[in-house]
Amino acid sequence: VLHAPMPSRRSRDNLILYGAGQTGAVLADALRRERAATVVGFVDDSPSLVDRDVSGIRVYPSDQISKLMEETDTAEVVLCMPSISSSRRAEIVSRLTELNARVRVVPAVSDLATGRFIISQMREIDIDDLLGRSAVPADQALMRSVIENRSILVTAGGRSLGPGRGR
C-alpha cells in the first residue's frame, strides 16, 4: 500500500513535524483540532517509528526530509523534541537551514498538556535553543578594542546567522 502525504491547498500552511514522539503527537492533534495548519508528515531519527502512523500521520526517516519538503511544497518544520541535547538540536537546525526551512520549536509536552502553552506561541528557533542555555552578552568595551578600525570576515554571511552578526 502506497502512502503519499496530502498537501493542503495553501502550501504556506503545510508543516512537517520533526519528532514523532509524545510532543509531536500532542502538537499534531492540537493543530488538527484548531485547524491551524496541515501536518503533511513527521520525520524521525528512530527506525522503530519510520513507516508507521502517529496520530494518523505518516512518519518518514529524517534523511528524506528534503524530498518530503519538495513533494509537499512545505517550507516550515517544527522541532518537536524538547529534551534533545543542544548539540543535536544545532545539528538538526543546521541541516534544516541548509534546506531553507523555517524552523520553529515547541516547549515540553507537559506545557502543551496542561495548557500553559498554546499553538500560537510556537516560536522561531533562537540562539538560546542552540546553546542549551542563555546567551552571554558580549563585553562591548572588549569587542571594541579587538575589532574597531579593522576589517572583519564573517563566514556564512549569506545564510541565516551571518547577515545579522555582520551588522
Side-chain angles (χ1 to χ4, degrees):
V1 175
L2 289 176
H3 184 278
M6 298 299 295
S8 71
R9 291 180 193 192
R10 294 177 5 187
S11 62
R12 68 183 178 93
D13 293 335
N14 287 353
L15 294 176
I16 294 172
L17 302 184
Y18 199 118
Q22 184 180 18
T23 303
V26 170
L27 180 60
D29 290 340
L31 289 167
R32 181 181 297 123
R33 189 174 48 255
E34 298 292 322
R35 298 176 191 220
T38 301
V39 178
V40 297
F42 283 102
V43 293
D44 203 284
D45 300 326
S46 173
S48 65
L49 292 173
V50 171
D51 292 331
R52 295 180 180 251
D53 287 355
V54 172
S55 296
I57 301 164
R58 180 62 61 174
V59 181
Y60 298 90
S62 58
D63 63 358
Q64 291 185 8
I65 193 164
S66 176
K67 181 179 176 186
L68 182 61
M69 289 175 67
E70 185 178 321
E71 288 178 355
T72 61
D73 195 24
T74 301
E76 187 166 344
V77 179
V78 181
L79 191 55
C80 302
M81 298 167 29
S83 60
I84 61 171
S85 69
S86 57
S87 62
R88 179 66 182 131
R89 183 183 320 269
E91 286 175 31
I92 294 169
V93 170
S94 175
R95 182 162 176 242
L96 294 173
T97 302
E98 288 174 4
L99 297 172
N100 294 319
R102 178 178 180 203
V103 182
R104 292 181 180 251
V105 294
V106 294
V109 73
S110 59
D111 290 341
L112 284 171
T114 60
R116 289 184 295 208
F117 172 81
I118 55 175
I119 291 169
S120 62
Q121 292 175 323
M122 269 191 304
R123 59 184 172 72
E124 298 281 336
I125 195 148
D126 64 18
I127 192 68
D128 293 348
D129 295 315
L130 300 177
L131 294 174
R133 59 172 172 78
S134 295
V136 177
D139 180 337
Q140 295 298 318
L142 177 61
M143 293 293 292
R144 189 172 296 109
S145 70
V146 173
I147 65 173
E148 192 170 48
N149 297 320
R150 295 201 170 119
S151 296
I152 306 296
L153 172 66
V154 178
T155 62
R159 293 212 154 153
S160 62
L161 297 178
R165 301 296 175 253
R167 288 184 224 122

